[in-house]
Short mmCIF file of all heavy atoms in Angstrom, two decimals:
data_model
loop_
_atom_site.label_atom_id
_atom_site.label_comp_id
_atom_site.label_asym_id
_atom_site.label_seq_id
_atom_site.Cartn_x
_atom_site.Cartn_y
_atom_site.Cartn_z
N LEU A 91 -74.37 13.01 -17.16
CA LEU A 91 -75.62 13.11 -16.40
C LEU A 91 -76.83 12.98 -17.33
O LEU A 91 -77.83 12.36 -16.98
CB LEU A 91 -75.66 14.42 -15.61
CG LEU A 91 -74.68 14.46 -14.42
CD1 LEU A 91 -74.62 15.85 -13.80
CD2 LEU A 91 -75.04 13.41 -13.36
N ASP A 92 -76.72 13.56 -18.53
CA ASP A 92 -77.80 13.42 -19.52
C ASP A 92 -78.01 11.95 -19.88
O ASP A 92 -79.14 11.48 -19.99
CB ASP A 92 -77.43 14.15 -20.83
CG ASP A 92 -77.68 15.64 -20.70
OD1 ASP A 92 -78.32 16.04 -19.71
OD2 ASP A 92 -77.21 16.38 -21.59
N TRP A 93 -76.89 11.27 -20.06
CA TRP A 93 -76.96 9.84 -20.41
C TRP A 93 -77.67 9.08 -19.29
O TRP A 93 -78.57 8.27 -19.53
CB TRP A 93 -75.53 9.32 -20.63
CG TRP A 93 -75.43 7.85 -20.90
CD1 TRP A 93 -76.08 7.16 -21.88
CD2 TRP A 93 -74.64 6.90 -20.18
NE1 TRP A 93 -75.73 5.83 -21.83
CE2 TRP A 93 -74.84 5.64 -20.80
CE3 TRP A 93 -73.76 6.97 -19.11
CZ2 TRP A 93 -74.21 4.47 -20.35
CZ3 TRP A 93 -73.13 5.82 -18.68
CH2 TRP A 93 -73.36 4.58 -19.29
N GLU A 94 -77.29 9.38 -18.04
CA GLU A 94 -77.90 8.68 -16.91
C GLU A 94 -79.41 8.93 -16.87
O GLU A 94 -80.20 8.01 -16.64
CB GLU A 94 -77.26 9.12 -15.59
CG GLU A 94 -77.84 8.34 -14.41
CD GLU A 94 -77.08 8.59 -13.13
OE1 GLU A 94 -76.93 9.77 -12.76
OE2 GLU A 94 -76.64 7.60 -12.50
N LYS A 95 -79.82 10.18 -17.17
CA LYS A 95 -81.25 10.51 -17.19
C LYS A 95 -81.97 9.64 -18.21
O LYS A 95 -83.04 9.10 -17.95
CB LYS A 95 -81.44 11.99 -17.56
CG LYS A 95 -81.77 12.85 -16.35
CD LYS A 95 -82.16 14.25 -16.83
CE LYS A 95 -81.42 15.30 -15.99
NZ LYS A 95 -81.04 16.49 -16.76
N ARG A 96 -81.38 9.52 -19.39
CA ARG A 96 -82.00 8.72 -20.45
C ARG A 96 -82.14 7.26 -20.00
O ARG A 96 -83.16 6.62 -20.24
CB ARG A 96 -81.17 8.78 -21.74
CG ARG A 96 -81.16 10.15 -22.39
CD ARG A 96 -80.76 10.06 -23.88
NE ARG A 96 -79.41 9.57 -24.13
CZ ARG A 96 -78.30 10.34 -24.10
NH1 ARG A 96 -78.39 11.62 -23.80
NH2 ARG A 96 -77.12 9.82 -24.35
N ILE A 97 -81.12 6.77 -19.34
CA ILE A 97 -81.15 5.38 -18.87
C ILE A 97 -82.27 5.18 -17.86
O ILE A 97 -83.06 4.23 -17.95
CB ILE A 97 -79.81 5.01 -18.21
CG1 ILE A 97 -78.72 4.93 -19.27
CG2 ILE A 97 -79.90 3.68 -17.46
CD1 ILE A 97 -77.34 4.72 -18.69
N LYS A 98 -82.35 6.11 -16.90
CA LYS A 98 -83.31 5.94 -15.81
C LYS A 98 -84.76 5.97 -16.28
O LYS A 98 -85.65 5.43 -15.63
CB LYS A 98 -83.06 6.99 -14.72
CG LYS A 98 -81.69 6.81 -14.07
CD LYS A 98 -81.76 6.72 -12.56
CE LYS A 98 -80.55 6.02 -12.00
NZ LYS A 98 -79.90 6.74 -10.88
N LYS A 99 -84.98 6.61 -17.45
CA LYS A 99 -86.33 6.60 -18.01
C LYS A 99 -86.69 5.22 -18.55
O LYS A 99 -87.85 4.87 -18.66
CB LYS A 99 -86.41 7.61 -19.17
CG LYS A 99 -86.81 8.99 -18.71
CD LYS A 99 -87.12 9.84 -19.93
CE LYS A 99 -86.84 11.29 -19.58
NZ LYS A 99 -86.46 12.07 -20.75
N LEU A 100 -85.68 4.47 -18.92
CA LEU A 100 -85.93 3.20 -19.61
C LEU A 100 -85.84 1.97 -18.71
O LEU A 100 -86.38 0.92 -19.02
CB LEU A 100 -84.96 3.03 -20.79
CG LEU A 100 -85.14 4.05 -21.92
CD1 LEU A 100 -83.99 3.98 -22.90
CD2 LEU A 100 -86.46 3.81 -22.66
N VAL A 101 -85.14 2.08 -17.60
CA VAL A 101 -85.05 0.90 -16.71
C VAL A 101 -85.42 1.26 -15.28
O VAL A 101 -85.31 2.41 -14.87
CB VAL A 101 -83.62 0.27 -16.70
CG1 VAL A 101 -83.24 -0.23 -18.06
CG2 VAL A 101 -82.61 1.26 -16.16
N ASP A 102 -85.82 0.25 -14.55
CA ASP A 102 -86.17 0.45 -13.14
C ASP A 102 -84.99 0.08 -12.25
O ASP A 102 -84.11 -0.66 -12.64
CB ASP A 102 -87.35 -0.46 -12.77
CG ASP A 102 -88.58 -0.10 -13.58
OD1 ASP A 102 -88.77 1.11 -13.86
OD2 ASP A 102 -89.33 -1.03 -13.96
N GLY A 103 -85.06 0.60 -11.05
CA GLY A 103 -84.09 0.17 -10.02
C GLY A 103 -82.77 0.89 -10.09
O GLY A 103 -82.54 1.77 -10.92
N GLU A 104 -81.90 0.52 -9.15
CA GLU A 104 -80.56 1.09 -9.06
C GLU A 104 -79.76 0.80 -10.33
O GLU A 104 -79.88 -0.28 -10.89
CB GLU A 104 -79.81 0.42 -7.90
CG GLU A 104 -80.32 0.81 -6.54
CD GLU A 104 -79.84 2.20 -6.17
OE1 GLU A 104 -78.60 2.39 -6.12
OE2 GLU A 104 -80.69 3.09 -5.96
N VAL A 105 -78.95 1.76 -10.75
CA VAL A 105 -78.05 1.47 -11.87
C VAL A 105 -76.61 1.59 -11.40
O VAL A 105 -76.21 2.60 -10.83
CB VAL A 105 -78.29 2.44 -13.05
CG1 VAL A 105 -77.36 2.11 -14.20
CG2 VAL A 105 -79.74 2.37 -13.50
N ARG A 106 -75.87 0.52 -11.60
CA ARG A 106 -74.44 0.55 -11.30
C ARG A 106 -73.67 0.52 -12.62
O ARG A 106 -74.23 0.14 -13.64
CB ARG A 106 -74.04 -0.67 -10.49
CG ARG A 106 -74.63 -0.68 -9.12
CD ARG A 106 -74.23 -1.97 -8.46
NE ARG A 106 -74.08 -1.79 -7.04
CZ ARG A 106 -73.40 -2.61 -6.27
NH1 ARG A 106 -72.78 -3.65 -6.81
NH2 ARG A 106 -73.31 -2.40 -5.00
N TYR A 107 -72.40 0.86 -12.55
CA TYR A 107 -71.62 0.93 -13.79
C TYR A 107 -70.29 0.19 -13.64
O TYR A 107 -69.73 0.12 -12.55
CB TYR A 107 -71.30 2.38 -14.15
CG TYR A 107 -72.53 3.25 -14.26
CD1 TYR A 107 -72.97 4.00 -13.17
CD2 TYR A 107 -73.24 3.31 -15.45
CE1 TYR A 107 -74.09 4.79 -13.25
CE2 TYR A 107 -74.37 4.11 -15.55
CZ TYR A 107 -74.80 4.85 -14.44
OH TYR A 107 -75.92 5.62 -14.53
N THR A 108 -69.82 -0.33 -14.76
CA THR A 108 -68.43 -0.79 -14.80
C THR A 108 -67.66 0.24 -15.60
O THR A 108 -68.09 0.62 -16.69
CB THR A 108 -68.32 -2.15 -15.50
OG1 THR A 108 -69.09 -3.09 -14.78
CG2 THR A 108 -66.87 -2.63 -15.53
N CYS A 109 -66.56 0.72 -15.02
CA CYS A 109 -65.70 1.65 -15.75
C CYS A 109 -64.50 0.89 -16.27
O CYS A 109 -63.86 0.16 -15.53
CB CYS A 109 -65.18 2.75 -14.84
SG CYS A 109 -66.46 3.79 -14.19
N GLU A 110 -64.22 1.06 -17.55
CA GLU A 110 -63.04 0.42 -18.15
C GLU A 110 -62.26 1.48 -18.90
O GLU A 110 -62.81 2.50 -19.28
CB GLU A 110 -63.48 -0.66 -19.15
CG GLU A 110 -64.23 -1.80 -18.52
CD GLU A 110 -65.02 -2.59 -19.54
OE1 GLU A 110 -64.65 -2.61 -20.72
OE2 GLU A 110 -66.03 -3.19 -19.13
N LEU A 111 -61.02 1.18 -19.15
CA LEU A 111 -60.26 2.11 -19.98
C LEU A 111 -60.56 1.82 -21.44
O LEU A 111 -60.93 0.70 -21.80
CB LEU A 111 -58.77 1.97 -19.71
CG LEU A 111 -58.38 2.58 -18.37
CD1 LEU A 111 -56.95 2.24 -18.02
CD2 LEU A 111 -58.57 4.09 -18.41
N LYS A 112 -60.47 2.85 -22.27
CA LYS A 112 -60.68 2.66 -23.70
C LYS A 112 -59.32 2.50 -24.35
O LYS A 112 -58.54 3.44 -24.45
CB LYS A 112 -61.43 3.86 -24.27
CG LYS A 112 -61.92 3.65 -25.69
CD LYS A 112 -62.94 4.72 -26.05
CE LYS A 112 -63.56 4.48 -27.41
NZ LYS A 112 -62.63 4.67 -28.51
N TYR A 113 -59.03 1.27 -24.73
CA TYR A 113 -57.72 0.95 -25.29
C TYR A 113 -57.70 1.35 -26.75
O TYR A 113 -58.67 1.13 -27.46
CB TYR A 113 -57.44 -0.54 -25.14
CG TYR A 113 -57.78 -1.00 -23.76
CD1 TYR A 113 -58.95 -1.70 -23.52
CD2 TYR A 113 -56.99 -0.63 -22.68
CE1 TYR A 113 -59.31 -2.06 -22.24
CE2 TYR A 113 -57.34 -0.99 -21.40
CZ TYR A 113 -58.51 -1.70 -21.19
OH TYR A 113 -58.86 -2.05 -19.92
N ASP A 114 -56.60 1.90 -27.19
CA ASP A 114 -56.52 2.38 -28.55
C ASP A 114 -55.71 1.40 -29.40
O ASP A 114 -54.49 1.42 -29.40
CB ASP A 114 -55.86 3.76 -28.54
CG ASP A 114 -56.32 4.59 -29.71
OD1 ASP A 114 -57.24 4.14 -30.42
OD2 ASP A 114 -55.77 5.68 -29.91
N GLY A 115 -56.43 0.53 -30.07
CA GLY A 115 -55.75 -0.48 -30.91
C GLY A 115 -56.66 -0.87 -32.04
O GLY A 115 -57.39 -0.04 -32.57
N ALA A 116 -56.64 -2.13 -32.39
CA ALA A 116 -57.52 -2.63 -33.44
C ALA A 116 -58.53 -3.55 -32.78
O ALA A 116 -58.15 -4.47 -32.08
CB ALA A 116 -56.71 -3.41 -34.46
N SER A 117 -59.84 -3.31 -32.98
CA SER A 117 -60.79 -4.17 -32.27
C SER A 117 -60.90 -5.52 -32.95
O SER A 117 -60.75 -5.66 -34.17
CB SER A 117 -62.14 -3.51 -32.08
OG SER A 117 -62.55 -2.91 -33.26
N ILE A 118 -61.16 -6.52 -32.12
CA ILE A 118 -61.14 -7.89 -32.62
C ILE A 118 -62.25 -8.69 -31.95
O ILE A 118 -62.60 -8.40 -30.80
CB ILE A 118 -59.76 -8.55 -32.33
CG1 ILE A 118 -59.57 -9.85 -33.10
CG2 ILE A 118 -59.55 -8.78 -30.84
CD1 ILE A 118 -59.13 -9.66 -34.51
N SER A 119 -62.82 -9.62 -32.66
CA SER A 119 -63.82 -10.50 -32.08
C SER A 119 -63.30 -11.94 -32.18
O SER A 119 -62.99 -12.41 -33.28
CB SER A 119 -65.13 -10.36 -32.85
OG SER A 119 -66.10 -11.20 -32.28
N LEU A 120 -63.18 -12.60 -31.04
CA LEU A 120 -62.68 -13.98 -31.02
C LEU A 120 -63.85 -14.91 -30.74
O LEU A 120 -64.63 -14.66 -29.83
CB LEU A 120 -61.64 -14.14 -29.91
CG LEU A 120 -60.49 -13.13 -29.85
CD1 LEU A 120 -59.64 -13.35 -28.60
CD2 LEU A 120 -59.63 -13.26 -31.10
N THR A 121 -63.97 -15.97 -31.51
CA THR A 121 -65.02 -16.95 -31.25
C THR A 121 -64.38 -18.22 -30.71
O THR A 121 -63.43 -18.74 -31.29
CB THR A 121 -65.80 -17.27 -32.54
OG1 THR A 121 -66.31 -16.06 -33.06
CG2 THR A 121 -66.95 -18.23 -32.26
N TYR A 122 -64.92 -18.69 -29.58
CA TYR A 122 -64.44 -19.95 -28.98
C TYR A 122 -65.56 -20.96 -28.97
O TYR A 122 -66.72 -20.62 -28.69
CB TYR A 122 -63.96 -19.71 -27.54
CG TYR A 122 -62.61 -19.03 -27.48
CD1 TYR A 122 -62.52 -17.65 -27.62
CD2 TYR A 122 -61.44 -19.77 -27.32
CE1 TYR A 122 -61.28 -17.02 -27.58
CE2 TYR A 122 -60.20 -19.15 -27.28
CZ TYR A 122 -60.13 -17.78 -27.41
OH TYR A 122 -58.91 -17.16 -27.39
N GLN A 123 -65.22 -22.18 -29.28
CA GLN A 123 -66.19 -23.26 -29.15
C GLN A 123 -65.50 -24.42 -28.45
O GLN A 123 -64.38 -24.76 -28.80
CB GLN A 123 -66.69 -23.67 -30.53
CG GLN A 123 -67.78 -24.72 -30.45
CD GLN A 123 -68.55 -24.82 -31.76
OE1 GLN A 123 -69.05 -23.83 -32.27
NE2 GLN A 123 -68.62 -26.02 -32.30
N LYS A 124 -66.17 -25.00 -27.50
CA LYS A 124 -65.59 -26.07 -26.68
C LYS A 124 -64.22 -25.66 -26.15
O LYS A 124 -63.30 -26.48 -26.08
CB LYS A 124 -65.45 -27.35 -27.49
CG LYS A 124 -66.75 -28.01 -27.85
CD LYS A 124 -66.45 -29.42 -28.34
CE LYS A 124 -67.59 -30.01 -29.11
NZ LYS A 124 -67.16 -30.99 -30.10
#
Side-chain angles (χ1 to χ4, degrees):
L91 289 172
D92 280 349
W93 176 55
E94 183 171 54
K95 256 189 227 145
R96 293 200 296 276
I97 290 174
K98 296 233 157 131
K99 270 191 208 152
L100 295 169
V101 298
D102 298 324
E104 289 284 300
V105 181
R106 293 177 148 200
Y107 304 95
T108 300
C109 296
E110 296 161 26
L111 286 171
K112 190 165 185 291
Y113 315 103
D114 208 7
S117 45
I118 193 82
S119 180
L120 309 174
T121 304
Y122 284 82
Q123 184 163 307
K124 291 194 198 152

